[in-house]
Amino acid sequence: GESSGTIEEKKVLKRQIKASHTLLKHEGISTTSQPTKSLVVANGGLGNGVSREELSAVLKEMGELETLIMHPHKPYAFVTSHCPHVHLNGEKLQCGGNSVTLYLSFVDSVTCEEEASVPLPEGLVLVEDFVSPEEEAQLLAAIDWSSANDDITAQKALKHRRVKHYGFEFRYDNNNVDKDKPLPAGIPQECLPALELCVRNKHINIMPDQLTVNQYESGQGIPPHVDTHSAFEDTIMSLSLGAQTVMEFRHPDGRLVPVVLPGRSLLVMKGESRYLWTHGITPRKFDTVPACDPQSPALTPPDVRTHSNLTLSKRGTRTSLTFRKIRHEPCRCAFPSACDSQGAPSTSPPSPPSLPRCHDDAAQLEEEYVHRVYDAIASHFSSTRHSPWPQVCHFLSSLPPGSVLADVGCGNGKYLGVSTEVIAVGCDRSSALIQICAERGFQAFVSDALSVPLRSATCDACISIAVIHHFSTQERRLAAVRELVRLLKPGGRALIYVWAFEQEYNKQRSKYLKEQNKEHPENHSPINKASEDSHRPVDNIQDVSKVTDGKLSVHTNRTSFNTQDLLVPWHLKEGKRQGEEESGEGSESSPVPVFHRYYHVFQQGELELLCGQVAGVKVQSSYHDQGNWCVILEKDSIEMN
Amino acid sequence: MKLLTHNMLTSHVKGVTKGYPLLIKATEVKMNEVEFNPQFVSRMIPKLEWSALVQAADELGQRQDLPGELVPDYEKNEDFLKKVHRLLLEVEVIEGCLQCPESGREFPISRGIPNMLLSEDEA
């Protein structure tokens, strides 16, 4: 019979068939050999790194095309034409400098996940080309970022983007404005022409009197927020200079609307878009944006709100000028749920906590930065706490058989099963961790270390391992030690471990510090050398707290401790979800949640001094163990008054 | 919560002086099988508040023929030790609550775990 083609052609056909099977199986796309107006381009998708521009360029060679649809994250694209391009079926093309092989097939219909175009939030207007490139340059030049202007404008170096205020300072600790303290510098003269245009075009009636300039580098953003109602009047205008970005608007009901803000565009937020929707910029280096093909306008889609015609846009430096009018009367908007003048809670960002000065503040700090965290991270935390420390085991093994042992702050029960000879019971503040103890068959209950529901003098021994450093005042740490001592029978012993300010002891770095390559090390702080010689409590412990304004700083893991009171990050590791696609830099992978735990790390001798303040007990021994300061206390044999 | 643990627990509500032993109100009790170690049980007994154990056993309907007072020479009495072993280690309260005998405050037991946390004003 007739030869059906060369070997090469047969190979292509085989791969073609395989590709079409894959498409059908995984994506539900069925190909056909009948000529149609629609083609699927396998391997030509945003999901496998092919940009719209690259694909367009290749396909254009093939003839006139009507539309090109590229869904985000998909490894294929759809092409439609006015008439069937018979010759394209079964075609194999090279793309992206021959690095990608495309397979084209007819399809009956374009499977379109295209949603109906999502409308912009009510009250939102985007005006493109609001200023010319020359005006843009002038405005950018008018902003002086040099610190020489510190006394004139309030220039702060926020953690992420750069910010500068004119007219009135916007405070990030309470998300409000000091209306009684205008800044020396008002809105720069260079902004007037643009503002006058805003008035002429009826975006605003009154000239704004506050300007906030934000400069975002690639990878920087701003968390979603609503501009405080009581601080500013309705209309808020944001002029974007420099690179384009994508701003996301979120409605309380969950709707998300991404809006591309090109350079030199003006964004006007009024009404619902200003008072109810939050707006924010996700910190990213690439955005998914609609493509713009100047040669084929038909191929350019309306905007990013439909899923067709997308490409990746690399971010550059963007400077936004946000003009606002200070509000002097309470807000009377139609959105009381988001209105701080009408009773809604002020949305202050989680401000860094301060060192507490009273029990109530301390309890609140510990609730947020200890208890809630442990409950949230319990299973991950437990999985990293599996090896009992040898020195603690030694203490436990030394207890006479039949001893009653209380483990105060037992966590996941790590030490409850070490000695089978003792009667062990554990307690912890975290229900989630106690649940793990129960699952392991240990006896444990939920309680606070400051008030343990055990009768006085009923325990032969107590341990409190890595617990007391979570108390945020000296009084509470002392109260915790007193509680341990209360539980002890006369002659009973307690073992206490707390994190050491000094991580390197006797030239030996702690295990914590040694594990440099561990993913997200949540270990102790930095090295501050302790000498073995001065085993006695130091006479005067230096005040190493260099905490500014009493605010607690977040510790950078595996660096030196600068202060004794700090927040230590915990990066939560969750199991990767099945089938999650990797889409390269353009994708918005869910960020790893980070929790902050409060610690007061102890200086050499500090724990001994603390225990020394408790009557009826003596420090039997004290030592340094793997980045911890440790004491063994012994209760007096005869109760003294 | 095993009865061994119950024997140790007390009410720590502020101002309460007679908070021990806590009353047990159980809605779900489970029986476990725990290896019998006569030596271990022998050593536990002196650490216990015997009357509290008897009271707890009564409340759970598990008293059977447990004596109201410790028998002499219990160390060698395997029968007795087995009864104590069963009560202390094999009976487990899964759901219910512990009640302070003086204030009436109830501490919930859920999934075998007593929650003894006090509120601000009770501590």
Side-chain angles (χ1 to χ4, degrees), chain A residues 253-273:
Chain A
D253 67 11
R255 276 177 285 158
L256 185 137
V257 178
V259 181
V260 177
L261 303 180
R264 299 183 291 107
S265 70
L266 181 76
L267 183 72
V268 185
M269 288 180 278
K270 258 179 164 149
E272 204 181 287
S273 68

Side-chain angles (χ1 to χ4, degrees), chain A residues 131 136 238-243 261-266 318-321:
Chain A
V131 293
E136 176 186 48
S238 201
L239 184 63
S240 296
L241 306 174
L261 303 180
R264 299 183 291 107
S265 70
L266 181 76
R318 170 181 174 265
T319 305
S320 73
L321 271 61

